[in-house]
Amino acid sequence: MELISFILSYFITKDLSIMTAFICWPSEQALELQRSARVAGVRLTVVSELRHSAPMTTSGYFREAMLLDLNCPDTHFVLEKASRSRVLNKRHSWLLLHNSSAEPALVEDTLYAYEILPDADVVWSSPDSLVDVYKTKPNQPLLQVELGLSRNSSRHELLSLWGALPTAVTRRRDLRNVSLKGISVVTEPDNFKGWADLRNRQIDTFPKFTYPLMMLLAQDLHFRFDLRQVDFYGVSHNGSFDGLVGHLQRREAEVGLASLFMRHDRMQVADFFSETCVLACAFIFRQPSRSAVSNVFLAPFSAGVWGASACVAASAALLLVALRRLRQHTRVSTDLQLFTLLEAVTFVLGSLCQQGFHRTPPVTSVRVVMFSTLLTSLFVFTAYSAKIVAILQTPSTALQTIDDLVRSPMTIGVQDTTYKTVYFLESPEKSTQQLYRHKILPQGERAYHSVVDGIARVRTGFFAFQVEKSSGYDIIKQTFTEREKCSLSEIEAFKPPLVAVPMKKHSGYRELFASRLRWQREVGLMDRARHMWLVSRPRCEAAGTGFVSIGLIDVLPALQVLALGAIMSVVLLAGERGARMLQRQTAHSTPASY
Ligand SMILES: *[C@@H]1O[C@H](CO)[C@@H](O)[C@H](O)[C@H]1NC(C)=O
Ligand SMILES: *[C@@H]1O[C@H](CO)[C@@H](O)[C@H](O)[C@H]1NC(C)=O
Ligand SMILES: *[C@@H]1O[C@H](CO)[C@@H](O)[C@H](O)[C@H]1NC(C)=O
Ligand SMILES: *[C@@H]1O[C@H](CO)[C@@H](O)[C@H](O)[C@H]1NC(C)=O
């Protein structure tokens, strides 16, 4: 039969193989449809009780074909149900059969009550025409587009029609000046001075960043926003959200003009259609100089070089002592001019420190040993001092990982935001959790600062601040000197989720908006907004100019050794005086006892 073969061709050329037919045909005709569907490889469900059809859902893995014969009684039950559960969408391809005409007035009359939005795929089929229908908004007139084929068209003609037909997004880009409800967030209304005010970039960055993109979208798709403004992004209380997400959840607004974290709980109640940027959070701090976290004087050599130097020194000392022994065996008189063990140790230490020795024994073998020891220590010393200068002058990389931060004596602060603790607690990284427990939790509320205060403390040093990077760098650009900018480092503790623009669940504009925002990203409009609103890390312009001045902290170990020596000498002096006094007393008192 001609009608049945047309229906199957229609759906098969659209690559659909699951079909639901709402029909009230005589049984032999319905059987014929089932038989042909089986032959064509289409899984068919026939519903003849239109009044009590099964519930429909928008979710599912496959696209489905829906056939509705408008000549049946009770078709409005099916359309009503489909409209209410938003099944008139992209995933379901509807074919409405009418036995005589596709008069615009008749189509309008039949379908005016239903939500056939721009994402719908609904085609009205009469014996001699095929009409694609949708509307820009509920309660607007239907837009009807003649597709130019009739029921006696061949499969080949259908295929070439689908090939030539632009996508729904391209065909339906003009929303004809309808107004859609939008909702925006301003969390600090007192500090709000307009959407394009670049002075306080760190306040409400993401709504301000998203706003021009959405306005551009409205211009692009030719619609208007009916805007409302709320103070919160939205937090779940027992499953029902407040703020912006709450409005979307209650379906009071179509779309949000802000970028929010795509969190799992929010995705239950709202859809996200386009990620706008990656929001990065990191610990920003000034890298402390290497001497602040470790002893610079031990750093130049590896353990192997230290060991080798010690070996050379020890063998030189032993060799000197051995030479003295040898000399004592052969010539008794000259032993005074040679090194004793203690003298040998003093000589070796002196030569390591480039100090030489007051005596030069007139024995050639000893002189050779002394000469080679002094020469060796010269090379070692040159390398050592050069390396120390290099360490003090190069920018430090002492703290590289979260574990380094946990171990270092740095104070930690966190930007005061709604998600300040959530992502530390949800982080799968052990070291991040450890950082939270050891460094943040003990401080209580004192750990949380505003961006401006936190960055000010970063500037004075020894403070690591967890902050949303672009806000942090914005303040840094305004307050840091060039040299201070060069010492900045960042460590990422966790990856926050992407931020994306939300809209109400199963919105009919989702495809349209998503693809046009993707276009904005591809042509660079989104990058432009990002450059305007999100500050990237300041470049270090002052690197390599001038020398780093050395502070007391850099030579602290040397001072400590000096102080230790001084204390020891005082103690020894006191000991010697004590011993001498004791000796005198015994010398005076001894005669009396006789
Ligand atoms: C179309 O269907 C209606 C109702 O089922 C019927 O009254 C009418 O005669 C049919 N028209 C044609 C051309 O088959
Ligand atoms: C298709 O049907 C129309 C009228 O409905 C007729 O004019 C046309 O000749 C038919 N075409 C073919 C190929 O059968
Ligand atoms: C869109 O509609 C608004 C309000 O009805 C009207 O003021 C405006 O001129 C319209 N714009 C266009 C381009 O038609
Ligand atoms: C949360 O929901 C439960 C059950 O739905 C209810 O018993 C409880 O009172 C609610 N709590 C709040 C704070 O609304």
Side-chain angles (χ1 to χ4, degrees), residues 54 84 108 163-164 168 199 225 263 308 313 332 359 431 444 472 482 523 548 592:
R84 219 176 332 108
E108 176 74 44
R199 272 167 303 173
F225 275 119
R263 289 181 57 82
V332 181
R359 207 140 54 77
S431 35
E482 285 304 317
V523 300
V548 181

Side-chain angles (χ1 to χ4, degrees), residues 72-222:
C72 294
D74 297 335
T75 52
H76 62 278
F77 280 104
V78 176
L79 285 170
E80 173 61 33
K81 189 178 269 181
S83 169
R84 219 176 332 108
S85 47
R86 291 286 312 127
V87 174
L88 294 167
N89 65 0
K90 185 171 180 283
R91 201 172 76 78
H92 297 83
S93 181
W94 287 80
L95 184 64
L96 310 180
L97 299 177
H98 195 270
N99 65 352
S100 57
S101 110
E103 277 297 310
L106 175 70
V107 176
E108 176 74 44
D109 221 38
T110 318
L111 299 179
Y112 77 94
Y114 311 114
E115 280 193 30
I116 307 177
L117 293 177
D119 68 334
D121 178 2
V122 178
V123 169
W124 178 290
S125 160
S126 71
D128 42 18
S129 70
L130 212 51
V131 180
D132 180 64
V133 295
Y134 78 101
K135 43 177 129 176
T136 51
K137 191 183 167 182
N139 306 327
Q140 292 288 315
L142 274 177
L143 299 170
Q144 309 179 17
V145 180
E146 176 68 53
L147 292 180
L149 290 183
S150 63
R151 279 202 196 148
N152 59 7
S153 306
S154 66
R155 189 174 287 203
H156 182 74
E157 281 170 311
L158 278 166
L159 263 180
S160 54
L161 171 67
W162 303 142
L165 199 65
T167 60
V169 172
T170 319
R171 279 181 285 143
R172 300 173 180 179
R173 264 179 57 189
D174 185 359
L175 292 182
R176 319 224 166 179
N177 203 18
V178 295
S179 76
L180 298 180
K181 287 199 175 112
I183 186 134
S184 64
V185 178
V186 174
T187 56
E188 296 186 27
D190 299 340
N191 292 325
F192 183 78
K193 299 199 183 63
W195 289 107
D197 174 46
L198 283 167
R199 272 167 303 173
N200 279 323
R201 249 185 282 224
Q202 84 278 8
I203 298 173
D204 289 328
T205 318
F206 288 93
K208 285 181 187 169
F209 161 71
T210 315
Y211 184 83
L213 300 178
M214 298 301 285
M215 285 300 149
L216 210 56
L217 180 76
Q219 228 172 39
D220 181 18
L221 295 175
H222 192 202

Side-chain angles (χ1 to χ4, degrees), residues 237-240:
H237 301 291
N238 228 358
S240 77

Side-chain angles (χ1 to χ4, degrees), residues 458-509:
V458 169
R459 180 155 181 253
T460 49
F462 243 60
F463 183 74
F465 189 45
Q466 159 77 35
V467 62
E468 193 273 297
K469 278 205 258 183
S470 77
S471 319
Y473 284 134
D474 186 30
I475 304 292
I476 283 174
K477 268 200 171 145
Q478 294 165 22
T479 56
F480 276 41
T481 65
E482 285 304 317
R483 180 154 281 291
E484 283 165 345
K485 283 178 197 165
C486 286
S487 59
L488 284 174
S489 278
E490 56 185 53
I491 298 178
E492 206 164 74
F494 50 76
K495 278 222 175 300
L498 284 176
V499 293
V501 188
M503 79 192 311
K504 79 179 183 199
K505 211 137 185 80
H506 309 306
S507 165
Y509 305 99

Side-chain angles (χ1 to χ4, degrees), residues 399-522:
L399 304 182
Q400 300 270 30
T401 63
I402 290 293
D403 286 323
D404 293 342
L405 264 189
V406 177
R407 277 194 298 269
S408 82
M410 277 226 176
T411 318
I412 302 284
V414 176
Q415 184 186 1
D416 203 350
T417 54
T418 42
Y419 57 88
K420 58 190 176 191
T421 54
V422 180
Y423 293 111
F424 279 107
L425 293 173
E426 288 178 358
S427 166
E429 295 277 325
K430 241 199 169 81
S431 35
T432 304
Q433 299 239 355
Q434 217 177 17
L435 181 83
Y436 181 71
R437 275 200 306 276
H438 290 289
K439 292 265 195 174
I440 299 172
L441 208 52
Q443 297 186 60
E445 274 305 306
R446 276 177 302 129
Y448 306 107
H449 308 269
S450 75
V451 183
V452 176
D453 295 347
I455 293 296
R457 284 195 63 181
V458 169
R459 180 155 181 253
T460 49
F462 243 60
F463 183 74
F465 189 45
Q466 159 77 35
V467 62
E468 193 273 297
K469 278 205 258 183
S470 77
S471 319
Y473 284 134
D474 186 30
I475 304 292
I476 283 174
K477 268 200 171 145
Q478 294 165 22
T479 56
F480 276 41
T481 65
E482 285 304 317
R483 180 154 281 291
E484 283 165 345
K485 283 178 197 165
C486 286
S487 59
L488 284 174
S489 278
E490 56 185 53
I491 298 178
E492 206 164 74
F494 50 76
K495 278 222 175 300
L498 284 176
V499 293
V501 188
M503 79 192 311
K504 79 179 183 199
K505 211 137 185 80
H506 309 306
S507 165
Y509 305 99
R510 187 181 155 145
E511 271 307 300
L512 209 51
F513 285 14
S515 89
R516 292 318 290 169
L517 270 191
R518 199 171 308 131
W519 172 79
Q520 290 194 17
R521 180 166 44 237
E522 279 165 8

Side-chain angles (χ1 to χ4, degrees), residues 203-318:
I203 298 173
D204 289 328
T205 318
F206 288 93
K208 285 181 187 169
F209 161 71
T210 315
Y211 184 83
L213 300 178
M214 298 301 285
M215 285 300 149
L216 210 56
L217 180 76
Q219 228 172 39
D220 181 18
L221 295 175
H222 192 202
F223 68 94
R224 288 169 293 129
F225 275 119
D226 174 7
L227 268 186
R228 287 189 57 190
Q229 176 188 325
V230 291
D231 292 351
F232 313 106
Y233 286 101
V235 179
S236 165
H237 301 291
N238 228 358
S240 77
F241 281 77
D242 58 6
L244 186 151
V245 182
H247 279 270
L248 297 177
Q249 183 182 23
R250 295 188 297 274
R251 309 184 77 78
E252 291 165 3
E254 194 71 45
V255 60
L257 276 78
S259 303
L260 326 186
F261 279 131
M262 252 196 286
R263 289 181 57 82
H264 190 71
D265 52 354
R266 286 176 177 161
M267 280 160 81
Q268 308 291 324
V269 300
D271 278 341
F272 289 90
F273 65 92
S274 172
E275 69 276 9
T276 46
C277 66
V278 179
L279 184 151
C281 289
F283 279 106
I284 295 181
F285 55 94
R286 292 182 62 194
Q287 194 66 258
S289 66
R290 185 134 173 204
S291 43
V293 286
S294 65
N295 187 345
V296 204
F297 292 93
L298 293 180
F301 289 162
S302 67
V305 180
W306 282 119
S309 307
C311 276
V312 168
S315 46
L318 291 179

